[in-house]
């Protein structure tokens, strides 16, 4: 019997109620909805951890964070922990990952030899590196998201070569509209869609599938492809032609319950410092902040909140 192929598509920090297949009447997500309609939908699935790296490590290991050991951002998944792509690779699968992985600290020093870190990509030996990585035989990595995606990784290198100087269009300074003072994460990206990292991820995923279709005529080798998009993770900065599709004033108001802030678990208040400005802390590249920070909505205007929802 021929073994199945696997394509795992991941979006980052996306709530289920942001999709049409879960009842959102404002979002237009026909492709995701078609997958939900033709397949199985898990209505009671809950992420094991609300933070990026621990949740991603669970996806590739099948273990709770307390068992795989990556419990906060700023840590690395031990290479001794078994992973799904490693198991498939050991059993004859071709394994490839494209996009955001984030199983290692973004701010790790170069000496730790971690491809998910910016420092790694300043090393001469990073030029031709594309794996192996936690069981993936090859990877095309994007580090971070939004206006820092051009700093390191395969996408950054590609953008520098394909369109020199265009990286500036990822920055809010290139946006036509000013960034709201009360939420400095909202702007319409001036980056052309064809150069945007989400398009880059999609194009590479399709290229991999095409290459496997050609190779399959001879080898019939099964494959596992992980396609990982960093969006809609904040900042809220889609390309302008996508942002223009939604009227922010028509967005539904957030449902707020009295006393929500007071019910934040004590460990969150102890672990994550309060943040006044996301971009300020994001660009600070401070290792103490890599685990994350808390930004509350009490100083954010309704218009900014609705724009954030529309851009998501």
């Amino acid at each position: 019997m021929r073994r199945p192929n696997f394509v795992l598509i991941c979006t980052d920090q996306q709530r289920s109620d942001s999709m049409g297949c879960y009842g959102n009447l404002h979002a237009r997500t026909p492709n995701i909805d078609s997958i939900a309609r033709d397949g199985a939908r898990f209505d009671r699935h809950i992420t094991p951890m609300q933070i990026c790296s621990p949740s991603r490590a669970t996806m590739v290991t099948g273990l709770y964070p307390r068992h795989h050991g990556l419990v906060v951002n700023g840590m690395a998944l031990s290479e001794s922990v078994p992973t799904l792509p490693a198991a498939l690779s050991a059993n004859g699968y071709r394994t490839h990952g494209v996009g955001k992985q984030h199983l290692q600290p973004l701010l790790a020093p170069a000496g730790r030899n971690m491809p998910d870190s910016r420092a790694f990509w300043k090393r001469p030996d990073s030029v031709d590196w594309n794996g192996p990585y936690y069981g993936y035989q090859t990877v095309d990595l994007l580090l971070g998201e939004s206006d820092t995606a051009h700093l390191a990784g395969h996408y950054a290198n590609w953008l520098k070569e394909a369109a020199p100087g265009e990286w500036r269009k990822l920055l809010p300074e290139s946006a036509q509209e000013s960034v709201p003072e009360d939420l400095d994460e909202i702007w319409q990206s001036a980056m052309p869609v064809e150069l945007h990292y989400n398009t880059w991820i999609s194009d590479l995923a399709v290229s991999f599938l095409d290459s496997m279709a050609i190779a399959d005529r001879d080898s019939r080798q099964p494959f596992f492809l992980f396609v990982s998009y960093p969006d809609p993770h904040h900042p809220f900065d889609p390309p302008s032609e996508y942002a223009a599709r939604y009227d922010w004033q028509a967005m539904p108001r957030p449902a707020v319950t009295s006393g929500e802030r007071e019910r934040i678990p004590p460990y969150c208040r102890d672990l994550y410092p309060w943040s006044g400005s996301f971009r300020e802390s994001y660009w600070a590249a401070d290792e103490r902040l890599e685990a994350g920070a808390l930004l509350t909505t009490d100083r954010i205007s309704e218009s900014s909140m609705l724009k954030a929802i529309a851009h998501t």
Side-chain angles (χ1 to χ4, degrees):
M1 177 182 294
R2 184 171 185 180
R3 291 179 292 175
N5 298 315
F6 300 98
V7 179
L8 176 58
I9 303 172
C10 175
T11 57
D12 194 316
Q13 201 168 282
Q14 183 170 19
R15 288 168 55 117
S16 60
D17 59 6
S18 70
M19 297 178 280
C21 57
Y22 280 94
N24 191 305
L25 301 179
H26 298 270
R28 296 187 289 277
T29 54
N31 295 316
I32 292 176
D33 296 349
S34 69
I35 296 173
R37 182 177 60 251
D38 297 336
R41 196 179 69 183
F42 299 92
D43 293 337
R44 290 179 291 176
H45 173 82
I46 298 174
T47 182
M49 170 64 79
Q50 71 272 35
I51 303 300
C52 189
S53 290
S55 183
R56 288 173 173 274
T58 290
M59 289 178 65
V60 299
T61 66
L63 302 173
Y64 286 114
R66 64 180 181 271
H67 294 144
H68 59 60
L70 203 174
V71 295
V72 293
N73 288 357
M75 299 179 65
L77 178 65
S78 171
E79 294 190 12
S80 66
V81 178
T83 66
L84 173 61
L88 291 172
S89 180
N91 284 276
Y93 271 74
R94 172 74 171 90
T95 57
H96 182 65
V98 55
K100 183 178 179 180
Q101 305 297 326
H102 202 190
L103 298 176
Q104 299 167 337
L106 189 68
L107 303 178
R112 294 189 66 185
N113 193 35
M114 293 183 173
D116 262 325
S117 70
R118 292 174 184 163
F120 174 88
W121 293 90
K122 296 179 181 179
R123 298 171 17 169
D125 58 336
S126 70
V127 174
D128 298 320
W129 182 90
N130 71 334
Y133 175 95
Y134 290 107
Y136 295 105
Q137 294 154 1
T138 53
V139 288
D140 292 298
L141 293 183
L142 179 134
L143 273 60
E145 56 274 317
S146 182
D147 54 335
T148 63
H150 67 281
L151 295 177
H154 289 114
Y155 170 73
N157 289 347
W158 171 84
L159 182 62
K160 187 183 303 181
E161 185 174 321
E166 288 293 277
W167 62 268
R168 295 181 179 85
K169 293 183 178 179
L170 287 170
L171 307 181
E173 290 79 7
S174 297
Q176 292 182 352
E177 297 180 348
S178 60
V179 178
E181 292 184 2
D182 60 337
L183 187 57
D184 61 356
E185 305 184 56
I186 303 174
W187 68 90
Q188 296 186 23
S189 175
M191 178 63 75
V193 170
E194 62 270 18
L195 296 176
H196 197 272
Y197 49 79
N198 286 329
T199 304
W200 176 82
I201 291 170
S202 297
D203 288 346
L204 286 179
V206 171
S207 294
F208 175 83
L209 293 174
D210 287 343
S211 69
M212 292 305 298
I214 295 172
D216 185 59
R217 297 169 188 167
D218 302 317
S219 67
R220 300 181 68 85
Q221 182 183 22
F223 64 83
F224 173 79
L225 172 63
F226 181 46
V227 186
S228 181
Y229 296 95
D231 289 339
H233 188 293
H234 64 120
F236 312 100
D237 63 329
S240 55
E241 71 174 75
Y242 291 138
R245 297 179 184 181
Y246 293 90
D247 177 5
W248 65 266
Q249 298 181 79
M251 292 297 103
R253 272 59 179 168
V256 179
T257 303
S258 178
E260 283 182 331
R261 181 171 173 176
E262 289 69 28
R263 289 197 294 274
I264 295 175
Y267 77 87
C268 285
R269 292 195 293 266
D270 295 339
L271 181 61
Y272 305 116
W274 297 103
S275 173
S277 166
F278 169 76
R279 292 194 74 240
E280 181 179 335
S281 59
Y282 197 55
W283 275 90
D286 186 338
E287 291 185 37
R288 294 171 297 175
L289 295 174
E290 188 162 355
L294 284 176
L295 178 66
T296 57
T297 60
D298 50 356
R299 67 177 185 84
I300 300 174
S301 66
E302 182 179 80
S303 62
S304 292
M305 290 295 296
L306 296 181
K307 288 179 181 177
I309 292 171
H311 284 202
T312 297

